[in-house]
Amino acid sequence: MQDILEVQGLTKTFQLSAKQQKLERTKQKVRVAVDHLSFTARQGEIFGLLGPNGAGKTTTLRMLSTLIRPDSGDALLDGASVVREPDKVRSRVGFLTSELKLEDCFTPNYLFDFFSGLHRVDPAVRRKRKEELFTRFGIDRFAEVKVANLSTGMKQKVSLVISIVHNPEVIIFDEPTNGLDVLTAKVVTDFLQELRSQGKTIVVSTHIFSLIEKLCDRVGVIINGRMVVCDSLERVCDGLSLEDRFFEIYKETAGDGE
């Protein structure tokens, strides 16, 4: 399979305020969130980033989505640089995060049309894609209901749909099932598998072992901002459950950044 996403030594640091230093009981003024991270994601696969909270997963995905710039390093999306060609990258990537907050006063119809306009989706293509996606996720019955009156699961479905209005080549999901009920979570995971079968490249970050085991072809374990293991799920597990293997890896490496 062809490498579609090439991550090359991404590094990101953040300044700590005096208040943060006090709360975290540290004298360090700078936190290294992502530390020379490298990996590839291939066409037609789901790549999982697995790590504990604070490992650097979300920061990595934000850099890949061009929401924040790396301090150093780069990532190439089918040859387009997140550093030098962010507009080109944005046209090819969809990013969904649990932190995406939809405005309460808007409807799914309005949001779909608004984000389609941002991505310059042709009106005829927009209408067809809206019909397909709204029907697929059961949004059609709530198309004119304000976000404030939607259930948590329906809000997540709307967030998912508007993140892929432009039919991107690469889809990046940060904790895609976080906070969802089991029925909505299954709808989301089934759709991810469907996207893979269409040849899409999908990058998923999570701390849920079962989600990685169910979805991912390859997995990268990230601890303290560093990629410590990256291979096929079978090779990473090495005969153990993913949970057991993860804690082995964690015990071996977690102290390096502390």
Side-chain angles (χ1 to χ4, degrees):
M1 290 187 290
Q2 178 186 358
D3 289 342
I4 296 298
L5 178 64
E6 300 178 55
V7 180
Q8 306 169 341
L10 282 182
T11 299
K12 185 65 180 179
T13 60
F14 294 102
Q15 297 289 328
L16 293 179
S17 67
K19 183 177 181 179
Q20 287 173 312
Q21 289 175 279
K22 184 176 181 180
L23 288 172
E24 298 181 18
R25 298 179 181 178
T26 180
K27 294 182 179 180
Q28 295 181 344
K29 296 183 179 181
V30 175
R31 175 188 293 132
V32 180
V34 177
D35 190 359
H36 295 89
L37 193 71
S38 298
F39 66 92
T40 60
R42 300 165 182 165
Q43 184 176 18
E45 80 166 358
I46 301 178
F47 180 91
L49 268 182
L50 175 66
N53 290 339
K57 303 187 302 297
T58 296
T59 300
T60 297
L61 298 191
R62 286 175 175 170
M63 287 189 284
L64 298 182
S65 305
T66 75
L67 295 181
I68 57 176
R69 286 178 60 90
D71 296 340
S72 62
D74 202 351
L76 303 179
L77 196 156
D78 200 16
S81 163
V82 300
V83 175
R84 299 184 304 276
E85 304 167 285
D87 289 342
K88 187 179 291 188
V89 170
R90 290 182 198 120
S91 70
R92 299 178 180 179
V93 69
F95 180 46
L96 176 65
T97 171
S98 59
E99 296 180 359
L100 175 62
K101 305 301 181 186
L102 304 176
E103 290 291 338
D104 285 347
C105 59
F106 295 133
T107 66
N109 251 340
Y110 175 85
L111 289 168
F112 192 94
D113 291 345
F114 176 78
F115 282 94
S116 294
L118 289 181
H119 286 287
R120 300 177 182 177
V121 179
D122 180 85
V125 174
R126 176 192 309 177
R127 286 191 295 272
K128 182 179 179 182
R129 189 154 175 79
K130 182 198 288 186
E131 182 179 357
E132 291 174 350
L133 290 172
F134 275 30
T135 301
R136 173 74 169 74
F137 288 98
I139 301 172
D140 46 349
R141 293 175 295 154
F142 303 92
E144 289 299 335
V145 176
K146 290 184 178 180
V147 167
N149 298 319
L150 296 177
S151 68
T152 300
M154 187 56 64
K155 288 178 183 177
Q156 183 76 339
K157 291 176 183 178
V158 174
S159 297
L160 169 59
V161 164
I162 65 175
S163 72
I164 56 170
V165 292
H166 53 310
N167 197 21
E169 304 165 33
V170 177
I171 299 122
I172 298 174
F173 285 161
D174 187 17
E175 302 286 358
T177 60
N178 190 37
L180 298 183
D181 64 82
V182 292
L183 294 178
T184 304
K186 179 168 173 49
V187 169
V188 172
T189 55
D190 286 351
F191 187 61
L192 293 181
Q193 291 172 317
E194 185 179 315
L195 290 173
R196 172 174 57 191
S197 70
Q198 295 172 9
K200 305 291 188 183
T201 301
I202 303 163
V203 179
V204 174
S205 83
T206 185
H207 60 276
I208 302 173
F209 301 113
S210 59
L211 186 64
I212 294 286
E213 291 173 320
K214 178 178 181 179
L215 289 179
C216 296
D217 303 288
R218 292 190 303 130
V219 58
V221 177
I222 179 172
I223 297 173
N224 294 324
R226 302 173 190 169
M227 184 72 76
V228 295
V229 176
C230 184
D231 211 327
S232 68
L233 184 59
E234 182 180 2
R235 289 180 179 176
V236 168
C237 290
D238 194 24
L240 300 175
S241 70
L242 181 58
E243 181 176 2
D244 289 343
R245 181 65 182 123
F246 172 81
F247 284 111
E248 272 193 357
I249 295 169
Y250 187 81
K251 288 177 183 178
E252 292 168 1
T253 61
D256 294 348
E258 296 177 354

